[in-house]
Amino acid sequence: LKESSSSACGVVIRDHRGMCLMMASRQLFHGVTAPEILEALALRSAIALAREEGFHKLIFQSDCLTLIKKVNAAARDRSITGSIVAEIKSVASSFVSVVFSYKP
């Protein structure tokens, strides 16, 4: 959305074989243009959707290596994405199994 200062994301849920179970949660973020913040907001949306749908064992993939490092770190993130990362970690603790992985 280059003409505006907005960005959008979408979430695709796949099973363990990679088959698409559902496409959901297309979301528009007004005023967000920083890639890492957008990736964090997209991940927050995805984890919220997984909780709403009742999933228990999850693998989240992102092409944003810095975000993946932050959500996997034990230390508190004090960057601009820190509050979003903290929320992601909080929700993630309610699942049986959660993996955050980098996929270029």
Side-chain angles (χ1 to χ4, degrees), residues 21-33:
L21 297 177
M22 67 189 298
M23 293 176 61
S25 183
R26 189 177 80 99
Q27 197 167 9
L28 183 64
F29 300 105
H30 296 286
V32 179
T33 58

Side-chain angles (χ1 to χ4, degrees), residues 11-16 21-22 43-61 68 71-72 88-101:
V11 175
V12 176
I13 298 176
R14 300 179 185 276
D15 67 10
H16 63 283
L21 297 177
M22 67 189 298
L43 184 53
R44 184 179 70 181
S45 293
I47 201 164
L49 178 63
R51 181 173 58 183
E52 289 171 17
E53 293 296 322
F55 293 107
H56 303 286
K57 296 180 180 180
L58 305 158
I59 299 172
F60 293 98
Q61 295 180 326
I68 295 303
V71 295
N72 284 325
I88 292 166
K89 288 180 174 185
S90 175
V91 174
S93 69
S94 67
F95 294 105
V96 172
S97 171
V98 178
V99 174
F100 296 101
S101 68

Side-chain angles (χ1 to χ4, degrees), residues 79-93:
S79 73
I80 194 164
T81 57
S83 62
I84 303 167
V85 169
E87 189 176 346
I88 292 166
K89 288 180 174 185
S90 175
V91 174
S93 69

